[in-house]
Structures are given as C-alpha cells and as structure tokens.
Amino acid sequence: MSQNNEELKRKIKIYKLTNEQISEMTGYAIDTVKAWRVKPGAKKYRPMPYRAMKLLIFEIKDRNMKQTS
C-alpha cells in the first residue's frame, strides 16, 4: 500500500475527516478519495498522489483543525 494511503487513514482517524471534506480539501473527486481508502489489490484501489497528501496537510493546518484522538 502506498505510504500516502496509510497516512490518509491516520489523518481520517485523527481529524474525523469525511470523504467529502477530503475531496473538497484536495480538489479530487469523491470517487477518487474512496479509491484511496480501499485495500491494495482491490479493483478500485488507487495510490494517493504525493501532491494530494501535501494539499490535505496544508488544508488541515490552514483550517486549524484539531485532533480528536
């Protein structure tokens, strides 16, 4: 699995992010976000691009989001 996909799962848990929020924060379609969350080897799996993770990290910091865990 892509390191970014694993990091995405951690961020979802820590910040309680929804697919819709991730889509809006990164500019990628919701179906693409869903594909980042499925298990490797699954038909719909896609590795999360480095650029998308950088955008997500920037948006989390810019919005001053608080950790929930």
Side-chain angles (χ1 to χ4, degrees):
M1 175 172 267
S2 165
Q3 184 177 355
N4 288 332
N5 292 60
E6 288 297 321
E7 183 64 22
L8 175 63
K9 289 179 181 182
R10 284 190 287 277
K11 296 212 179 305
I12 288 168
K13 185 176 180 182
I14 291 170
Y15 297 102
K16 303 293 186 211
L17 298 169
T18 65
N19 290 342
E20 290 79 12
Q21 286 174 308
I22 296 165
S23 173
E24 190 257 318
M25 293 166 91
T26 62
Y28 286 81
I30 290 175
D31 285 342
T32 301
V33 173
K34 289 178 183 177
W36 295 338
R37 299 184 65 186
V38 298
K39 293 185 181 202
K43 186 177 180 181
K44 293 187 177 189
Y45 171 79
R46 288 189 196 169
M48 183 181 193
Y50 175 75
R51 175 183 174 275
M53 180 53 70
K54 293 283 283 186
L55 283 168
L56 183 62
I57 291 168
F58 174 81
E59 286 292 330
I60 287 169
K61 288 179 182 178
D62 190 56
R63 295 172 188 213
N64 201 24
M65 296 179 83
K66 304 295 181 206
Q67 296 183 9
T68 59
S69 307

